[in-house]
Amino acid sequence: MAKYTAYNLVRAVSLLPRNTNYNYVNPRTPGLIHIENVNLPAGPIQIRRWNPRKGENYVGSSVESISSEMIWRVANAVNLGEPINLDRILGGSYNTRSVLETLMALTPEFYYCYPGRIKDIDGHSSIEHGHKHLIWLPDEPHEQGVLTEKQVPNMAISEIPLQSVTYDNLILPDNMAVGGDMNIEVVRRHTQIQIALYLIGLQLGYRTWIAQNDKGIIYKDKPLIEQPGIIPALGTENIISAFPGAEPSARFIDCIWFQNHRFMPAVMEVEHTTGVTSGLTRMKGLQDAMPAFNTRYVIVAPDNDREKVVEEANRQQFLSLDARYFSYSSVEELYYICTHRNLHGVTQEFLDCYMEKVCVN
């Protein structure tokens, strides 16, 4: 089953009838919702809402927007057959949460449901009546535009604390902060992901090459090149030195993991608004320089860039890479596990749980 995306969500909402006023999925929420406009492929969605009990009507209501950012946050949390709660996903932010929840429930692939809630207090467990959730069941579509409840009598949820990832004491060198095609915040986000990849590799026992032009980054008061597990010079790696032309091809690749001087688990390009083609081109250059060596060629990119990664990775000139997609959310999920659970003893194949193969063979 393909990953659910904002494109799927917005497309489904765009197919809902526009000549209808919809009730909220929560019967205790008074008011009506009207879809004004749906901007493909990923939003925003414009709606009107009003409460007839207060004498309000369509004419007097204002147009409100459900942002693309909000849509992506929700879409990224959707997994097949797993209930989701929008209030929890969005952390109480966005005042159109209940509207988006309703619009999703009106589409054929989403039901609303009330799974039980596991409650643990003082060593005693019980299952109580749960809160409203949405559940994605694409193989069991209901009638479009009709709110439909899914009975889940044997399903219960144990809520774990929300996870957060912290990037501490990260300083960018001056030559990274000015000039170029990326503004300072984009550069900072790109660098945060590089640091996360380095720390994941460190926890998994890999040594990491960081692009030559990024070695001036200061992390925890030390230059990145002086951090444990960072490779200071590519020429010292037996894998690279065995292939003439490999070193210059690899020098500016964002991140490469090495293991035991014999393996190269992943070659990764971090693409943040800079386009995917440049990263694929650099990795193709490395593959051409060392064609007999088996590794994973990976594009690391924001979650909302998945479609672009899939499209570019399947261009004829890049098919030999058999590229993978490592979303920012997957990077940070693995980073969180590595830094909080002392992850060790896993094989390279473990990476395949996070790096999605996107080439169509």
Side-chain angles (χ1 to χ4, degrees):
M1 175 59 65
K3 172 69 176 170
Y4 193 81
T5 71
Y7 305 122
N8 303 122
L9 195 162
V10 173
R11 169 62 66 180
V13 171
S14 74
L15 297 175
L16 292 172
R18 304 288 181 88
N19 58 349
T20 301
N21 299 327
Y22 297 104
N23 292 302
Y24 285 88
V25 65
N26 186 346
R28 294 192 299 273
T29 302
L32 296 171
I33 301 167
H34 186 89
I35 302 171
E36 285 290 304
N37 188 44
V38 180
N39 294 279
L40 297 171
I45 299 170
Q46 280 85 32
I47 58 95
R48 291 178 186 260
R49 55 179 171 171
W50 65 95
N51 185 354
R53 296 182 188 177
K54 295 182 177 180
E56 299 170 353
N57 56 38
Y58 171 85
V59 175
S61 64
S62 59
V63 176
E64 300 178 68
S65 183
I66 301 173
S67 69
S68 295
E69 178 186 6
M70 178 182 177
I71 294 167
W72 271 110
R73 284 183 63 179
V74 172
N76 287 337
V78 173
N79 290 297
L80 178 64
E82 296 181 8
I84 59 171
N85 180 275
L86 266 65
D87 286 340
R88 184 170 172 80
I89 293 168
L90 299 172
S93 56
Y94 301 101
N95 62 9
T96 52
R97 297 188 307 277
S98 58
V99 177
L100 181 58
E101 176 186 59
T102 296
L103 296 180
M104 291 175 68
L106 288 165
T107 64
E109 295 184 354
F110 280 93
Y111 293 77
Y112 69 93
C113 62
Y114 294 89
R117 181 165 57 94
I118 300 173
K119 188 175 182 180
D120 289 311
I121 298 179
D122 195 24
H124 299 283
S125 296
S126 61
I127 297 180
E128 300 186 349
H129 180 69
H131 303 297
K132 175 171 41 59
H133 287 65
L134 297 183
I135 187 168
W136 181 43
L137 299 172
D139 295 330
E140 305 176 34
H142 63 76
E143 183 180 349
Q144 182 167 261
V146 177
L147 297 170
T148 307
E149 181 177 357
K150 182 71 174 179
Q151 299 296 328
V152 288
N154 299 316
M155 184 179 290
I157 291 177
S158 177
E159 295 181 342
I160 62 174
L162 292 174
Q163 302 171 355
S164 61
V165 170
T166 302
Y167 298 95
D168 190 26
N169 294 334
L170 179 62
I171 301 174
L172 306 180
D174 291 340
N175 64 339
M176 290 182 67
V178 297
D181 297 326
M182 296 192 293
N183 65 39
I184 182 61
E185 290 308 317
V186 171
V187 172
R188 188 181 304 279
R189 185 63 175 140
H190 180 280
T191 305
Q192 288 169 343
I193 295 297
Q194 279 182 293
I195 293 295
L197 293 171
Y198 153 61
L199 293 172
I200 291 169
L202 189 66
Q203 186 65 45
L204 296 179
Y206 303 152
R207 298 169 67 244
T208 300
W209 167 259
I210 294 292
Q212 184 70 46
N213 50 329
D214 295 333
K215 292 295 180 62
I217 296 167
I218 304 297
Y219 178 63
K220 291 192 173 180
D221 301 321
K222 288 176 59 178
L224 192 56
I225 197 170
E226 297 178 10
Q227 298 288 340
I230 290 289
I231 296 169
L234 270 176
T236 62
E237 288 300 312
N238 296 337
I239 295 171
I240 296 297
S241 61
F243 295 90
E247 182 180 352
S249 298
R251 192 173 297 151
F252 295 103
I253 288 177
D254 286 321
C255 181
I256 306 176
W257 284 335
F258 293 89
Q259 183 182 28
N260 299 333
H261 298 283
R262 295 187 299 122
F263 303 105
M264 195 164 65
V267 176
M268 294 169 283
E269 276 288 331
V270 181
E271 301 295 349
H272 191 91
T273 75
T274 57
V276 176
T277 305
S278 58
L280 289 167
T281 300
R282 278 190 291 272
M283 293 193 296
K284 185 66 171 70
L286 179 60
Q287 185 189 53
D288 290 344
M290 44 193 308
F293 200 86
N294 186 37
T295 186
R296 296 169 181 81
Y297 291 99
V298 184
I299 290 292
V300 184
D303 294 65
N304 57 353
D305 282 348
R306 180 184 180 277
E307 297 299 319
K308 181 166 58 176
V309 173
V310 173
E311 179 181 354
E312 293 298 314
N314 279 282
R315 290 172 60 180
Q316 185 63 39
Q317 64 265 43
F318 300 130
L319 284 177
S320 64
L321 293 172
D322 192 19
R324 297 161 189 259
Y325 168 56
F326 199 4
S327 69
Y328 277 15
S329 62
S330 294
V331 170
E332 293 187 322
E333 178 184 340
L334 183 53
Y335 171 50
Y336 182 91
I337 293 172
C338 285
T339 55
H340 288 74
R341 299 299 181 195
N342 193 29
L343 192 67
H344 63 280
V346 298
T347 64
Q348 282 192 33
E349 287 69 28
F350 174 72
L351 299 173
D352 297 332
C353 299
Y354 290 89
M355 299 174 176
E356 178 190 0
K357 295 188 71 170
V358 294
C359 286
V360 179
N361 296 322

